[in-house]
Amino acid sequence: MSRDGGGLRTRVKTARGRTAQSTRWLERQLNDPYVKRAKAEGYRSRAAYKLIELDEKFGIIRNSKRVVDLGIAPGGWSQVIKRRLPKAQVVGIDLLPVDPIDGVTIFQMDFMDDAAPDRLMEALGGAPDLVLSDMAANTVGHPQTDALRTMALVETAFAFACDVLVPGGTFVSKVFAGGADSQLVAAMKRAFTTVKHAKPPSSRKGSVEWFVVAQGFKGRAVTDDQGED
């Protein structure tokens, strides 16, 4: 490694067995202020600051008592919840293994598994007032396919939120550039009082990710009525 600009930036030399792409990734990580801040403040990833910034803008965490964290790995979002609301019940799920977090129940399984919603709700012990989804499909390198696969996860998370949220609850989900598609946004606006898209400052400028924030869930009766066309 070397430093340029008077020690302001770390440059990574390409090592044997390391691709140019992985070298660029490592260099970006070493120079990312959010990565450094996460290490200093004990968060597992820089993603924690995306939730913190969304909360500062929309007040999504507030006095939540029960929270579901979909796509919990590596755990930064649940860390934020537990630090701000130590008494909140939090359950999370991910295909990847996640190191334990005090006060958080974690399932290593596919959220698309039919058994997943019941497992989450049983562990939570009651209806959540906040459903978070940082899920994204593994990319295949084809932008349209990647967007469709991730949007399918968003739609499934939204359907889950409508099934389980308490009236007045909040749903937050990662989406790709352009946000949720128009039909899904229309469905969200029927189910929630407000629906907005946001890109927090900690989301890298070159990233295609955005977040949709739906607040003020109108209740199951409303969503059930809307399905009877």
Side-chain angles (χ1 to χ4, degrees):
M1 297 182 187
S2 63
R3 290 186 177 273
D4 64 357
L8 295 178
R9 182 174 178 83
T10 301
R11 289 195 177 278
V12 180
K13 295 180 179 179
T14 302
R16 181 179 298 176
R18 182 192 296 149
T19 66
Q21 182 178 2
S22 65
T23 298
R24 287 193 298 271
W25 179 88
L26 180 57
E27 185 173 302
R28 184 179 67 179
Q29 290 294 103
L30 290 171
N31 291 285
D32 188 324
Y34 284 101
V35 171
K36 296 175 182 177
R37 184 178 169 189
K39 289 181 179 179
E41 297 183 1
Y43 286 116
R44 295 183 179 182
S45 73
R46 67 190 306 286
Y49 299 102
K50 298 173 189 177
L51 182 60
I52 290 170
E53 290 162 354
L54 288 171
D55 183 52
E56 289 172 350
K57 184 171 184 177
F58 298 104
I60 57 179
I61 297 176
R62 291 182 179 172
N63 298 315
S64 297
K65 295 179 175 62
R66 294 186 177 92
V67 181
V68 179
D69 187 352
L70 307 176
I72 186 175
W77 281 20
S78 283
Q79 284 183 303
V80 172
I81 298 294
K82 293 302 293 185
R83 288 191 187 186
R84 296 195 172 191
L85 300 170
K87 295 182 179 180
Q89 293 288 111
V90 183
V91 299
I93 187 170
D94 205 293
L95 279 170
L96 299 174
V98 179
D99 290 336
I101 301 171
D102 286 344
V104 180
T105 301
I106 302 170
F107 295 100
Q108 184 181 352
M109 65 184 298
D110 189 348
F111 176 63
M112 304 297 276
D113 187 315
D114 290 343
D118 287 342
R119 294 280 298 276
L120 291 169
M121 294 306 297
E122 182 179 353
L124 196 60
D129 37 36
L130 177 59
V131 172
L132 303 171
S133 175
D134 197 26
M135 295 189 296
N138 291 330
T139 58
V140 296
H142 185 263
Q144 290 85 355
T145 300
D146 291 338
L148 286 172
R149 292 176 66 189
T150 291
M151 194 51 59
L153 289 175
V154 176
E155 291 172 351
T156 303
F158 169 62
F160 169 76
C162 287
D163 280 342
V164 301
L165 276 173
V166 299
T170 297
F171 171 62
V172 179
S173 179
K174 176 157 63 181
V175 295
F176 271 176
D181 65 41
S182 58
Q183 288 186 330
L184 182 56
V185 169
M188 288 184 179
K189 287 183 175 179
R190 291 193 296 267
F192 291 84
T193 303
T194 63
V195 177
K196 296 181 179 180
H197 285 89
K199 187 174 180 67
S202 56
S203 180
R204 292 188 175 101
K205 293 181 179 179
S207 170
V208 297
E209 74 175 5
W210 280 68
F211 292 87
V212 61
V213 179
Q215 295 175 286
F217 181 57
K218 297 175 183 178
R220 281 291 303 275
V222 174
T223 55
D224 289 345
D225 290 344
Q226 290 165 0
E228 296 175 358
D229 292 334

